[in-house]
Amino acid sequence: MAKNITPKEQDYSQWYLDVIKVGELADYAPVRGCMVIRPTGFAIWEMIQKYFDDAFKETGHVNASFPLLIPQSFLAKEAEHVEGFAPECAVVTHAGGEELEEPLIIRPTSETVIGHMYSKWIQSWRDLPILINQWCSVVRWEKRPRLFLRTSEFLWQEGHTAHATKEEAIEEAETMLEVYRRIMVDYLALPVVIGEKTEGERFPGADNTYTCETMMSDKKALQAGTSHYLGQNFAKAFEIQFQDKDGEMRFAYTTSWGVSARMIGALIMTHSDNDGLVIPPRIAPTKAVIIPISTNESKLNDEIIPKAHELKALLNKVLGGRYVQVDTQFHMRPGDRFFYHLQKGVPVRLELGEKELEGQKLRVVRRDTGEKTDVLWSDIETALPKLLEDIQNSLLERAHNFRIENTHKVATLDEFKKVIEEQGGFIEVYFAGTKEDEKAIKDLTGATSRCYPLEYENERGKCFYTGKEGARKSIFAKAY
RNA sequence: CGGGAUGUAGCGUAGUCUGGUUAGCGCACCUGCUUUGGGAGCAGGGGGUCGGAGGUUCGAAUCCUCUCAUCCCGACCA
């Protein structure tokens, strides 16, 4: 048991903060609500970026960079958008030693500037679709910040596309949702539920919002990514028009979609334990660490360390990257070095000492279960990739089972209240209520609608709240 | 932004109520020796604007005012 981490059973929030601190993922910045992502945390973000960026390119998107500062008047052009974002915008009023004629907002999201640019770039149906993504940070002034989950400035990716038809734009929003789902499941081992947001939970300015919802190990829900079908709302506000094949001028249909560094919070709260971080191998910047051990200095320097580097080179070649490290912290004793990597969530530890040297093998220890095995040097290049995949699969399976076990079906409000109070987790219900009904349920139980899962798109039943027939199946939960 | 709590070395804390030597201790850090396969032992050592700013007082970590930050519970959101 780690002595520098509060057990999650004792205080979940404190556990989360301790894991971040001990794992050296992030630290507080001098400004309230802002965080510094430290090298260990940023390396995870870089892994996340790599997989998502590759998938965006694979689906035909290109990267660009739009400015941080946006004229305040832009925000006001779309009524719902301004209502949703104005309260959390940071505004620049002075620059160059003078008061600005028009204040500038620091982007809370970029629909408006990008819409402005798209209107300049798009003339003809031949200019469509336009498929651009940007990796950047945005600022939303948060009342209650939490490291990674909700900070005033956060790193994210925002894709913005414009299309000639409604169908194509909806398909884009759904395609990107599926891209998100696939990467979260396959790489981050986050078993997400994808679905549609209710009206009350929709993005300000969207006609429809899709979401990836995931369950944390305290049974609360976390939105890990969203994709929006924006209809013609922004096209009309920013005059994104094109001349169609028939010669008519038409407004384009736009989408936007994003995932943020919040996913690192999701990773922590899904997989980590009371000893610290547990990082799924595919997203782990360091997938295995070789720890040379010996009290015999000449043996250590002449045989063990060279062998460690040789194995590292071999394994990196097999894994296709700089994923295996050799631990050279010889001022620390072996136990300290084991703990160091354990707490940073490195999926596999490879011990190389005199015994292993003798037997031409490695002591292999997996982070998730602590299970130990011995593997011959000659077998490690096939055994390690296989073990990493095993760990990846077992983390996903465990998280998936956890969600299934903590998902409850109820039919009445009384049952709903009882389950939320006594068990928590996800609640599946048929729901046909309004925005106001949702608010009432939240006031009563603390739970909100997370989404209408696409999985149950065609199922209908009687609403647990209003009693109306023909209601869609929805998931409710307490959420971050 | 409302309610509650907390700020003393990198981390955890004693001291604060009842003002009074040089602010004490554990972990971590530095040096040396002995150690070394799941958080080592001994000896020596370095590190503090007591969150910050004012004030009261002969004297403030301690009392008063203001302020900043963090945590928890709400309202608002990736």
Side-chain angles (χ1 to χ4, degrees), chain A residues 89-118:
Chain A
C89 279
V91 183
V92 179
T93 57
H94 290 71
E98 289 172 26
E99 185 168 353
L100 295 168
E101 202 164 305
E102 181 184 356
L104 302 171
I105 59 165
I106 300 176
R107 63 182 166 217
T109 177
S110 303
E111 276 75 7
T112 59
V113 236
I114 293 180
H116 174 83
M117 298 313 296
Y118 280 7

Side-chain angles (χ1 to χ4, degrees), chain A residues 423-461:
Chain A
Q423 300 173 70
F426 284 6
I427 302 191
E428 285 185 2
V429 285
Y430 292 105
F431 182 63
T434 59
K435 217 166 158 177
E436 289 68 35
D437 293 331
E438 268 184 70
K439 177 84 172 67
I441 294 167
K442 186 178 182 185
D443 291 344
L444 204 59
T445 65
T448 50
S449 168
R450 303 324 305 150
C451 67
Y452 294 113
L454 295 187
E455 190 186 348
Y456 305 126
E457 212 170 0
N458 299 317
E459 262 192 60
R460 292 292 182 276

Side-chain angles (χ1 to χ4, degrees), chain A residues 173-181 194-195 210-212 227 454:
Chain A
E174 289 178 351
T175 298
M176 296 323 288
L177 180 74
E178 173 55 23
V179 164
Y180 285 166
R181 189 202 63 78
I194 54 171
Y210 298 95
T211 178
C212 296
S227 179
L454 295 187

